[in-house]
Amino acid sequence: DAKTTQPPSMDCAEGRAANLPCNHSTISGNEYVYWYRQIHSQGPQYIIHGLKNNETNEMASLIITEDRKSSTLILPHATLRDTAVYYCIVRGDNNNDMRFGAGTRLTVKP
Amino acid sequence: SAVISQKPSRDICQRGTSLTIQCQVDSQVTMMFWYRQQPGQSLTLIATANQGSEATYESGFVIDKFPISRPNLTFSTLTVSNMSPEDSSIYLCSVEGQGSYEQYFGPGTRLTVT
């Protein structure tokens, strides 16, 4: 599976959009981009995933660049409860397990 | 989605002893996964457990230290054997959703070895 690079930490003001970047320059054609988050003392929670098109659900939007070498997770109106570690994971469609990197610790401030 | 429970939620154990962690899912799933999260670190995959076959262990993890059982499609156990303080971690199980690529995680078992 391709490796991902994320900034170790980010801050965001409450009510503003949080944009979390992820680089995955070695991604191959059949690999998806997944985002999970882990709120303190809980198991990771699925947020969203995509292959090449931008995706949106009730939690977030995922923007994937045309060359697929990077992506951005957008939380449109961050709340204090969005404070968590966010993991960007690249996984092929023939793999079943998730390989977690270090993630980005997002702190939403009042 | 799948709802996953783990027992115990936390435990404090003495070195040299063993602890068995249980993972129960509310639906039948083919594959279950066990992860370890050491203090302040990310998650590391220990092994993949399919029902009816031996678990597949990742590099650095061996069956003698982390034996896994998978007796049916809704249950699995992970045993941490002959524990040392370095085994102090959160242990999480996860499953893949039926017909989807999402993985669902249990709440984790926080283990402290003294």
Side-chain angles (χ1 to χ4, degrees):
Chain A
D1 291 334
K3 190 170 178 158
T4 62
T5 304
Q6 298 177 253
S9 64
M10 291 181 63
D11 290 343
C12 177
E14 187 179 19
R16 303 296 295 268
N19 297 285
L20 292 93
C22 180
N23 286 326
H24 31 79
S25 58
T26 60
I27 192 170
S28 60
N30 68 339
E31 289 182 318
Y32 287 75
V33 180
Y34 286 78
W35 284 84
Y36 280 74
R37 73 180 181 184
Q38 187 174 26
I39 296 171
H40 184 62
S41 298
Q42 298 182 22
Q45 177 191 20
Y46 166 84
I47 301 172
I48 199 167
H49 76 281
L51 183 63
K52 56 183 178 180
N53 297 323
N54 298 337
E55 302 287 345
T56 296
N57 62 21
E58 64 278 5
M59 289 182 69
S61 295
L62 174 61
I63 308 299
I64 303 175
T65 59
E66 191 169 343
D67 62 7
R68 304 209 320 124
K69 292 183 185 299
S70 65
S71 61
T72 301
L73 178 75
I74 301 172
L75 307 178
H77 305 287
T79 71
L80 298 179
R81 289 178 294 180
D82 292 321
T83 292
V85 178
Y86 287 77
Y87 296 99
C88 169
I89 301 165
V90 171
R91 191 187 82 166
D93 60 3
N94 58 348
N95 291 342
N96 298 103
D97 56 88
M98 291 287 174
R99 307 285 175 143
F100 288 77
T104 295
R105 182 173 297 278
L106 174 69
T107 302
V108 180
K109 299 186 173 180
Chain B
S1 66
V3 178
I4 304 169
S5 59
Q6 288 186 233
K7 288 182 182 179
S9 58
R10 58 177 63 224
D11 207 343
I12 300 173
C13 301
Q14 295 203 340
R15 73 168 66 214
T17 63
S18 297
L19 176 72
T20 295
I21 301 167
Q22 299 179 10
C23 178
Q24 180 76 52
V25 189
D26 68 343
S27 58
Q28 294 185 338
V29 294
T30 303
M31 303 185 74
M32 296 179 78
F33 308 93
W34 286 98
Y35 289 82
R36 179 176 75 182
Q37 187 170 29
Q38 294 177 302
Q41 303 295 312
S42 184
L43 285 77
T44 300
L45 181 66
I46 298 172
T48 302
N50 289 341
Q51 193 268 335
S53 62
E54 293 283 329
T56 302
Y57 289 83
E58 296 299 306
S59 175
F61 298 95
V62 295
I63 188 171
D64 289 347
K65 175 68 176 177
F66 297 101
I68 289 171
S69 78
R70 183 78 203 276
N72 58 52
L73 291 173
T74 63
F75 187 78
S76 178
T77 67
L78 169 77
T79 299
V80 186
S81 303
N82 188 24
M83 288 183 285
S84 67
E86 292 71 35
D87 294 320
S88 296
S89 295
I90 299 173
Y91 292 85
L92 301 106
C93 69
S94 76
V95 305
E96 186 159 281
Q98 294 290 347
S100 77
Y101 293 123
E102 301 171 30
Q103 271 197 0
Y104 301 97
F105 286 80
T109 295
R110 184 179 295 271
L111 170 63
T112 302
V113 183
T114 60

